[in-house]
Amino acid sequence: KYLLEDFPSEARRATLSDSPTFYELNDELARGPKGKGFGKECPRDGQLHCSIVDSLTTSRKATHFVSWCWRYSLPDFTSSIGDHLRAQSLNPCDIFLWICFFCNNQYRVQDGETGTEALKNTFQETLRRIGQVIIVFDDFATPHYITRVWCVFETYVATTSDVETTLALPDAAKKRFASAMNSGFADVMKSLKELDVERAGASVEQDEKSIKALIQRDIGFGTVNEVVRKNLIKWMTITFQEAMEKDTQ
């Protein structure tokens, strides 16, 4: 509920932008002297400065792990989550999301106190404990998600742990999909066939190498591709059905 109702206005005031990315929001709300947790004791390690979630007066045990990219815009991200909850008939008051931007202490990440291995373990343990993953794409044809190796890693962990995954996309993606349907399915089929998570990269080269080696040794990229593709086809099917029902009413 906080993400959908309170956070958007806070984010827009902090950045003076209607459509900031989460990279832009980081220094305004998650870390530094402007951060919501600045000057507050962290309940995890007892040191000064805490995560956004630990700065809030109320928090609950997470019901869903959100796998996504920081480059998403605020409207696209909140639209994806809001539409997904409505489609699943879920009450936002009953849903508590684990989102790295809010839950990881960005002050520690900034200071280099949380290394790659620790972050990997955090994601892995948290994802398995929560047991439900919402994968957020920004687009159905060329999703930025599959170009980021950390996102691919989260899908890999969900797959190997038999954790349920569902896909969420913003309203803008639905409109682009409707346009693609009107012009034929050639472009849609092309994007599905060309989907390949092995091309994903990372800002730290060693992260990319170690994560890709782990996936390749275990289940291989083909299996991760298939999980992503199945989720995308499911989303397309539901979106197509919604469009047909709307047009025939």
Side-chain angles (χ1 to χ4, degrees):
K1 186 178 179 182
Y2 168 72
L3 174 70
L4 300 178
E5 295 186 2
D6 298 329
F7 182 73
S9 58
E10 291 179 4
R12 292 185 179 105
R13 282 196 304 269
T15 59
L16 302 179
S17 170
D18 288 333
S19 186
T21 68
F22 282 80
Y23 283 120
E24 295 167 328
L25 286 167
N26 194 25
D27 286 331
E28 301 297 329
L29 291 173
R31 70 181 190 183
K34 299 178 184 178
K36 292 178 69 68
F38 183 77
K40 298 180 180 180
E41 182 178 316
C42 175
R44 319 288 170 174
D45 59 19
Q47 298 181 45
L48 271 184
H49 315 318
C50 66
S51 66
I52 291 179
V53 75
D54 285 330
S55 75
L56 302 177
T57 54
T58 58
S59 60
R60 298 286 190 277
K61 182 179 178 181
T63 58
H64 297 74
F65 180 103
V66 179
S67 184
W68 65 301
C69 302
W70 279 37
R71 75 169 262 175
Y72 294 165
S73 71
L74 176 68
D76 275 356
F77 186 66
T78 54
S79 168
S80 298
I81 297 297
D83 284 355
H84 179 76
L85 296 185
R86 283 189 292 273
Q88 299 291 320
S89 300
L90 298 172
N91 186 340
C93 294
D94 300 326
I95 302 302
F96 297 89
L97 307 173
W98 196 97
I99 304 172
C100 58
F101 178 84
F102 298 91
C103 297
N104 280 342
N105 189 333
Q106 303 305 328
Y107 291 96
R108 306 295 180 264
V109 175
Q110 177 187 23
D111 294 339
E113 296 176 22
T114 306
T116 297
E117 192 64 29
L119 283 174
K120 186 172 80 171
N121 291 337
T122 296
F123 284 132
Q124 198 164 15
E125 292 167 7
T126 304
L127 189 154
R128 286 172 173 164
R129 183 179 69 250
I130 295 171
Q132 291 192 82
V133 178
I134 301 174
I135 297 173
V136 179
F137 278 13
D138 57 341
D139 190 42
F140 71 91
T142 55
H144 182 68
Y145 182 98
I146 65 171
T147 71
R148 308 310 302 158
V149 76
W150 279 107
C151 296
V152 173
F153 171 73
E154 289 164 7
T155 300
Y156 155 77
V157 172
T159 303
T160 55
S161 304
D162 291 324
V163 171
E164 179 185 357
T165 59
T166 53
L167 189 64
L169 283 91
D171 186 58
K174 285 188 176 183
K175 293 176 180 176
R176 289 191 291 270
F177 181 61
S179 177
M181 286 192 296
N182 290 333
S183 59
F185 277 93
D187 291 341
V188 176
M189 295 306 298
K190 183 173 181 289
S191 67
L192 285 172
K193 289 179 181 178
E194 293 180 350
L195 187 153
D196 185 7
V197 299
E198 190 171 3
R199 293 198 290 261
S203 54
V204 179
E205 185 179 358
Q206 188 54 46
D207 290 355
E208 179 181 342
K209 288 181 178 179
S210 61
I211 290 174
K212 284 185 174 181
L214 174 65
I215 295 173
Q216 191 62 57
R217 285 196 307 269
D218 195 353
I219 59 175
F221 288 99
T223 302
V224 181
N225 278 333
E226 193 59 27
V227 171
V228 174
R229 191 175 288 112
K230 283 182 178 179
N231 272 293
L232 195 50
I233 291 172
K234 183 178 179 180
W235 176 86
M236 289 178 177
T237 302
I238 293 171
T239 303
F240 178 77
Q241 182 178 349
E242 289 176 351
M244 291 296 290
E245 290 175 350
K246 183 177 180 181
D247 288 344
T248 54
Q249 286 178 353

